[in-house]
Amino acid sequence: MNNMNSIVILMADDDEDDILLTQKALKKGKLLNTLYSVSNGEELLDYLLHRNKYADADAASAPLPGLILLDLNMPKKDGREALREIKNHPELRDIPIVVFTTSKAEEDIYRSYKLGVNSFITKPVTFEKLIEVMQALGKYWFEVVTLPAKSKKDMYGTTANNDSTH
């Protein structure tokens, strides 16, 4: 899985433990992707649009992600609102978004797909299953799926430090 190491993952989740466990699962699953994180939908959009605390950020400190892991239930702006805004933004709509949440509600699944999410995954309850999910995500999004060349080469962030959390 060595061609994945340049793809940045941005995780929007208000649970720091979930972010840390996801980072550990990526490492344990031998995925070299850099994981950046934000704690709510408002911060997610600030990161993507380089606003507020990200206004002075460059491509090295806040690279555009190749994949967004999005929790639905967050403070300030929830994942549904953020998803709607990202998919309606001409420069952001092509970024693959995977809803990664504790919800199993049919309404959340249906609504997420209507808003343009690429995949919906209910967070696993064991660390071993989380590793499996991260490996499957990595294989699917970075080996199986063909993204537009511009998306992979020019648009999505790359970093030299591929095993850190930001």
Side-chain angles (χ1 to χ4, degrees):
M1 293 188 195
N2 48 9
N3 67 337
M4 300 181 300
N5 62 0
S6 64
I7 304 298
V8 169
I9 299 171
L10 177 59
M11 185 171 184
D13 197 314
D14 62 323
D15 187 329
E16 286 188 35
D17 289 338
D18 283 353
I19 293 167
L20 289 172
L21 284 171
T22 300
Q23 178 64 35
K24 287 180 181 180
L26 286 167
K27 285 182 183 178
K28 192 90 166 162
K30 298 183 178 22
L31 302 175
L32 303 176
N33 304 78
T34 302
L35 180 70
Y36 288 78
S37 64
V38 293
S39 60
N40 60 64
E42 195 171 289
E43 189 180 355
L44 171 61
L45 286 155
D46 286 348
Y47 177 102
L48 293 171
L49 297 170
H50 292 263
R51 306 183 302 208
N52 298 322
K53 79 177 194 179
Y54 297 98
D56 295 327
D58 59 9
S61 61
L64 201 58
L67 181 68
I68 296 173
L69 297 178
L70 180 65
D71 188 23
L72 291 181
N73 302 309
M74 298 182 289
K76 294 188 181 180
K77 182 177 291 201
D78 73 11
R80 297 160 196 86
E81 294 171 285
L83 176 60
R84 180 184 299 109
E85 287 187 42
I86 292 167
K87 291 302 182 180
N88 285 323
H89 193 286
E91 294 175 24
L92 303 176
R93 70 173 52 130
D94 293 335
I95 300 172
I97 299 177
V98 174
V99 166
F100 193 58
T101 189
T102 56
S103 175
K104 293 181 181 179
E106 191 63 36
E107 180 182 334
D108 283 337
I109 298 166
Y110 178 78
R111 189 171 174 202
S112 295
Y113 280 109
K114 289 297 264 184
L115 291 172
V117 77
N118 299 92
S119 296
F120 189 104
I121 297 173
T122 301
K123 290 178 183 176
V125 292
T126 67
F127 185 66
E128 291 73 24
K129 286 289 185 188
L130 181 59
I131 293 169
E132 289 176 22
V133 167
M134 289 299 111
Q135 288 176 322
L137 274 173
K139 183 159 187 67
Y140 181 75
W141 283 108
F142 308 131
E143 290 184 23
V144 175
V145 170
T146 302
L147 296 171
K150 180 180 188 316
S151 296
K152 278 190 169 178
K153 185 176 175 194
D154 302 326
M155 187 173 144
Y156 297 150
T158 59
T159 61
N161 185 359
N162 293 321
D163 63 351
S164 60
T165 302
H166 301 275

